Amino acid sequence: DTAVSQTPKYLVTQMGNDKSIKCEQNLGHDTMYWYKQDSKKFLKIMFSYNNKELIINETVPNRFSPKSPDKAHLNLHINSLELGDSAVYFCASSRGEGEAQYFGPGTRLTVT
Amino acid sequence: SQKIEQNSEALNIQEGKTATLTCNYTNYSPAYLQWYRQDPGRGPVFLLLIRENEKEKRKERLKVTFDTTLKQSLFHITASQPADSATYLCHTGFQKLVFGTGTRLLVSP
């Protein structure tokens, strides 16, 4: 049973396109996150949601828009993709702030 | 601004020895520190959480310490095994959630 799942696992697309990454957790957690891990392996927080409400929004271009239809899902939509968006995007969830985070397998996005 | 620093150089040790990884933080006083393991091509996996009022936490062969005076957390793996080879990340949250850049551990047979 997968705790945190993401789709797709790989995403190759051209500059200027719009794409979405889906995330689902079956752990009953209240808090979900999106992280970006770049080629230097630095893991950077993008967004955090608690009970479908946005609580953290780091300095991320407004081309990135998270959407949480319910507590178990946090999707990431990216408009007008740029080369610099190429990275691995991880979804995670936790019971609350400061609690252990459970990560999904990641989505490797390549923008050509 | 908040900063977490981990040794960017890989740590090479022999099987059976104790591996010690360091996480230093500056410019803030976190309420907790967490340690994660990340294998290539996979998401980080939570290992241990230690809070500011705790000096030490253990789980099987793993031990974490939290020194608020030195602003440092140490992560120990005793009786290390080749299967422990991975990148280890420390993480904390204050005004923002921060992960260290990770230290790669290589355990040779």
Side-chain angles (χ1 to χ4, degrees):
Chain A
D1 290 341
T2 305
V4 182
S5 59
Q6 294 178 231
T7 53
K9 190 165 172 59
Y10 300 97
L11 186 52
V12 181
T13 188
Q14 291 185 323
M15 283 175 55
N17 284 348
D18 302 338
K19 290 293 178 186
S20 292
I21 306 172
K22 294 186 176 181
C23 177
E24 177 181 2
Q25 55 97 1
N26 62 6
L27 297 168
H29 287 165
D30 287 337
T31 307
M32 295 185 73
Y33 313 81
W34 275 109
Y35 287 90
K36 178 181 180 181
Q37 189 167 45
D38 59 25
S39 56
K40 294 184 180 179
K41 306 300 181 187
F42 181 54
L43 197 61
K44 187 175 177 182
I45 182 73
M46 298 174 70
F47 302 102
S48 171
Y49 268 70
N50 189 57
N51 272 320
K52 302 195 313 175
E53 194 175 316
L54 181 67
I55 55 171
I56 292 178
N57 182 356
E58 286 301 315
T59 310
V60 175
N62 57 14
R63 299 181 294 104
F64 290 79
S65 53
K67 285 196 171 45
S68 182
D70 55 57
K71 218 171 70 165
H73 295 84
L74 181 62
N75 304 323
L76 184 65
H77 189 75
I78 316 169
N79 288 328
S80 303
L81 278 155
E82 300 177 357
L83 292 176
D85 297 333
S86 295
V88 180
Y89 291 84
F90 287 102
C91 176
S93 73
S94 69
R95 284 190 308 177
E97 187 182 341
E99 298 293 333
Q101 294 182 40
Y102 293 82
F103 283 78
T107 295
R108 181 174 291 278
L109 172 65
T110 304
V111 183
T112 61
Chain B
S1 60
Q2 297 171 210
K3 206 173 175 184
I4 278 186
E5 289 181 345
Q6 294 185 255
N7 193 344
S8 58
E9 290 182 16
L11 177 64
N12 289 278
I13 64 166
Q14 225 172 354
E15 183 174 10
K17 302 289 186 187
T18 295
T20 298
L21 306 174
T22 305
C23 177
N24 296 300
Y25 57 92
T26 55
N27 298 330
Y28 63 109
S29 298
Y32 67 89
L33 265 161
Q34 298 176 2
W35 284 87
Y36 290 78
R37 167 186 174 139
Q38 186 171 25
D39 291 283
R42 293 179 172 267
V45 174
F46 171 75
L47 296 174
L48 280 169
L49 160 69
I50 187 165
R51 302 196 186 275
E52 60 180 338
N53 60 345
E54 298 173 316
K55 294 282 187 197
E56 183 179 296
K57 207 77 167 284
R58 290 175 186 261
K59 180 183 174 183
E60 296 170 356
R61 294 185 295 112
L62 309 180
K63 184 178 88 171
V64 172
T65 61
F66 194 176
D67 189 325
T68 55
T69 303
L70 293 178
K71 292 187 179 294
Q72 182 181 80
S73 174
L74 298 179
F75 177 78
H76 307 272
I77 305 175
T78 57
S80 60
Q81 304 165 0
D84 295 327
S85 298
T87 296
Y88 291 85
L89 306 165
C90 68
H91 161 70
T92 188
F94 185 56
Q95 291 162 346
K96 62 188 286 185
L97 302 180
V98 181
F99 271 86
T101 51
T103 299
R104 191 167 171 217
L105 172 67
L106 297 167
V107 182
S108 52

